[in-house]
Structure formats: structure tokens, C-alpha cells
């Protein structure tokens, strides 16, 4: 019968790890949203040369010259799906980048604004912010019942 007994984690440990995960998702959502906002408000248009395309994940790495004259190599925004076929190495594509941080992720100008990743991260953080306290209360109650 010992095989059927469930060993539950301590509630403070569960709650602490849950809070850390929720904060991690919230920070990731905020970071993605801030990058999108920076491109929208102070983005600069440029032309970039495709230097690498990762077929498996569909990631496009580009190289361009920033307004201050330095050469920048970075990745085009994830989830950006341009119309038509994916660009090949050597192709020129229109991009927008943040002049304050040109090394950060850039956006392909041919795509429509895509905030899917930011929304998913924020929704996960919100679900965790609701779910972790509820699950912690349920765990505390279950641990109390098990002690009786």
C-alpha cells in the first residue's frame, strides 16, 4: 500500500518555485514587448543581407550597416513570416532596427506586426499568477488532510 501513497512537496517550496517561474515569464513578456515597442517608436529602416537561414527553426540571420556606420549581425524577429518564399542567403530584405540597440533583434519590414510571443508569455504569466496561489492553497489543504 505504500506505493499508493503520494508524497507532496512542501507548500512553501511549491509556492516559491511557482513565483520564480511566474516572474520569469513576466520578465520575458516585458522584454519582448519593450523590444517591439522600441522598433515601433524609434525604429530605423534599413536594407539587410541574409547571411544565414536555419531551415529547421526558420531563423534568419542578417547583416546590415547601422546609422552610426558599424556593421551589425543579428537575427530577424522570430515568428515573422514574410509573404512569399523565405529569403535565401545573399538576398537583401528590408528591416527595421532600434538605433539605440542595433544588435538586438530586428523586424522584417515585409511582415505585419506580430505580438504573438509577447501575448503568449503574458498570458502564461497571468495564468501562473492565478494558478500558483490556488494550487498552493489546495496543496496546503491536502497536506493537512494527510496529517490527520
Amino acid at each position: 500500500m505504500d506505493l499508493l501513497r503520494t508524497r507532496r512537496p512542501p507548500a512553501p517550496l511549491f509556492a516559491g518555485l511557482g513565483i520564480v517561474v511566474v516572474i520569469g515569464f513576466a520578465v520575458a513578456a516585458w522584454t519582448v514587448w519593450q523590444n517591439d515597442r522600441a522598433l515601433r517608436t524609434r525604429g530605423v529602416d534599413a536594407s539587410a543581407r541574409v547571411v544565414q537561414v536555419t531551415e529547421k527553426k526558420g531563423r534568419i540571420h542578417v547583416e546590415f550597416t547601422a546609422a552610426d556606420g558599424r556593421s551589425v549581425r543579428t537575427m530577424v524577429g522570430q515568428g515573422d513570416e514574410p509573404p512569399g518564399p523565405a529569403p535565401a542567403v545573399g538576398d537583401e530584405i528590408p528591416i527595421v532596427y532600434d538605433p539605440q540597440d542595433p544588435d538586438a533583434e530586428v523586424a522584417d519590414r515585409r511582415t505585419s506586426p506580430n505580438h504573438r510571443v509577447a501575448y503568449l508569455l503574458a498570458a502564461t504569466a497571468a495564468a501562473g499568477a492565478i494558478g500558483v496561489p490556488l494550487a498552493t492553497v489546495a496543496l496546503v489543504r491536502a497536506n493537512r488532510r494527510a496529517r490527520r
Side-chain angles (χ1 to χ4, degrees):
M1 279 306 213
D2 284 339
L3 294 175
L4 298 177
R5 297 190 80 188
T6 303
R7 181 160 164 83
R8 293 178 186 88
L13 175 65
F14 179 83
L17 288 175
I19 289 169
V20 168
V21 169
V22 167
I23 289 172
F25 275 104
V27 167
W30 179 256
T31 302
V32 170
W33 190 260
Q34 286 299 96
N35 186 46
D36 290 349
R37 189 172 148 264
L39 291 177
R40 219 177 30 255
T41 57
R42 62 178 179 262
V44 173
D45 289 330
S47 181
R49 185 174 56 84
V50 177
V51 293
Q52 179 184 357
V53 178
T54 308
E55 295 293 329
K56 191 173 187 180
K57 296 185 179 181
R59 295 184 177 163
I60 300 169
H61 296 263
V62 296
E63 200 170 64
F64 65 97
T65 303
D68 61 5
R70 68 180 161 137
S71 180
V72 178
R73 183 177 175 153
T74 189
M75 185 170 47
V76 173
Q78 300 199 25
D80 290 353
E81 296 173 12
V89 173
D91 288 352
E92 292 282 328
I93 62 171
I95 61 162
V96 60
Y97 72 95
D98 180 4
Q100 292 180 5
D101 190 10
D103 295 320
E105 191 175 276
V106 301
D108 188 336
R109 257 301 180 211
R110 302 170 300 162
T111 62
S112 59
N114 178 6
H115 305 297
R116 185 177 4 177
V117 173
Y119 289 140
L120 287 173
L121 289 169
T124 304
I130 294 167
V132 167
L134 292 175
T136 302
V137 168
L139 180 61
V140 167
R141 288 180 180 164
N143 284 343
R144 284 184 187 154
R145 278 193 302 269
R147 285 189 207 134
R148 290 183 193 167

